[in-house]
Amino acid sequence: MSALLAGVAGLVCGVFSGLGIGGGTLLMVWMTAVMGMEQRMAQGINLLYFLPTAACALVFHIKNRLIRWRVVIPAAITGCLTAAGAAFLATAIDATLLRKLFGGFLLLVGLNEIFGGHARDKKDK
């Protein structure tokens, strides 16, 4: 049953990942809130989940010329460097605090989506 639930979660999160709208974040919420998994373990699984799903979606984004390489390369380099440091930090932080930080981040992102104006929306007006 657990493999079936994981497959369903992968299916739903894969749709969101393909659309580029946070399938990994949804997977983190499912693993920690629904499955009761420890935050650090869920993060590791989420990182492994992200690699193949991102690669699959990336093929189509490259094909449709939706990638700005001048933006991707510096962002990827600095992202890799800081991700290594943050991963080290995450293993040292208390799991309860880490979970609260993640929840706070989700709350801020959600509030921004509901109430925040987006730059593109402002340009269209």
Side-chain angles (χ1 to χ4, degrees):
M1 185 60 153
S2 139
L4 177 63
L5 286 175
V8 169
L11 177 76
V12 171
C13 295
V15 169
F16 287 114
S17 292
L19 296 173
I21 54 175
T25 302
L26 181 61
L27 184 64
M28 283 291 298
V29 171
W30 177 75
M31 288 187 290
T32 56
V34 177
M35 299 302 292
M37 192 176 289
E38 194 225 2
Q39 182 81 22
R40 283 178 245 184
M41 183 177 291
Q43 285 172 203
I45 292 169
N46 187 47
L47 290 170
L48 285 173
Y49 166 85
F50 175 76
L51 293 173
T53 58
C56 290
L58 186 59
V59 169
F60 292 97
H61 287 282
I62 290 172
K63 180 182 172 215
N64 291 314
R65 297 180 182 190
L66 296 172
I67 304 296
R68 291 186 185 170
W69 293 103
R70 286 180 282 151
V71 175
V72 169
I73 292 171
I77 291 169
T78 56
C80 286
L81 293 173
T82 55
F88 175 75
L89 183 62
T91 60
I93 293 176
D94 177 59
T96 303
L97 175 61
L98 193 59
R99 196 174 184 127
K100 288 178 182 179
L101 289 171
F102 181 65
F105 169 73
L106 290 179
L107 184 62
L108 289 175
V109 169
L111 290 172
N112 185 57
E113 286 298 314
I114 293 170
F115 298 112
H118 297 284
R120 177 170 286 166
D121 295 340
K122 291 177 183 176
K123 272 176 55 177
D124 292 341
K125 290 183 179 179

